[in-house]
Amino acid sequence: MSLVMEKINDDQLEQVAGGLYGGSSGHWVPATVTAPAGLFSYSREAGNFIRSGQFIIPFGEDIPVDMNRKAKNYAVAFYNEIEAWIDLSGVELI
């Protein structure tokens, strides 16, 4: 069985807007997970970021990241119909 990885095209990326954090003013860019153990989700509490364990995005997965919701080295990403903060050091923007 072959696993085919597809990159998000511009039309698909433009359809991803808002979500749990609301609004459609996002600046969504495609990214690929480069963290070997996968990319953990984080929650933001009082300006600090805490690993939430809400989900882990597997290595090599293509995801949209909202660069309008960026703080420090973290930004909001969309995965499996859920938005959460991620550590940008674990992705490569494409």
Side-chain angles (χ1 to χ4, degrees), residues 2 9 54 60 89:
S2 165
N9 68 38
Q54 183 178 12
S89 65

Side-chain angles (χ1 to χ4, degrees), residues 29-35 39-40 42 63-67 69-77 85-93:
V29 297
T32 299
V33 176
T34 58
L39 190 63
F40 291 91
Y42 287 78
I63 58 172
V65 176
D66 186 356
M67 298 308 286
R69 290 182 283 169
K70 181 178 178 281
K72 300 180 185 175
N73 197 43
Y74 297 87
V76 172
W85 290 93
I86 60 159
D87 184 342
L88 290 172
S89 65
V91 298
E92 178 183 338
L93 301 178

Side-chain angles (χ1 to χ4, degrees), residues 10-28:
D10 290 339
D11 292 336
Q12 291 171 316
L13 196 56
E14 286 178 12
Q15 292 175 13
V16 179
L20 298 178
Y21 292 97
S24 60
S25 62
H27 174 65
W28 295 95

Side-chain angles (χ1 to χ4, degrees), residues 45-82:
E45 298 177 17
N48 295 317
F49 293 89
I50 300 164
R51 190 187 314 188
S52 69
Q54 183 178 12
F55 57 76
I56 299 174
I57 305 170
F59 172 81
E61 190 77 23
D62 291 334
I63 58 172
V65 176
D66 186 356
M67 298 308 286
N68 275 355
R69 290 182 283 169
K70 181 178 178 281
K72 300 180 185 175
N73 197 43
Y74 297 87
V76 172
F78 189 77
Y79 179 70
N80 279 349
E81 300 181 14
I82 298 173

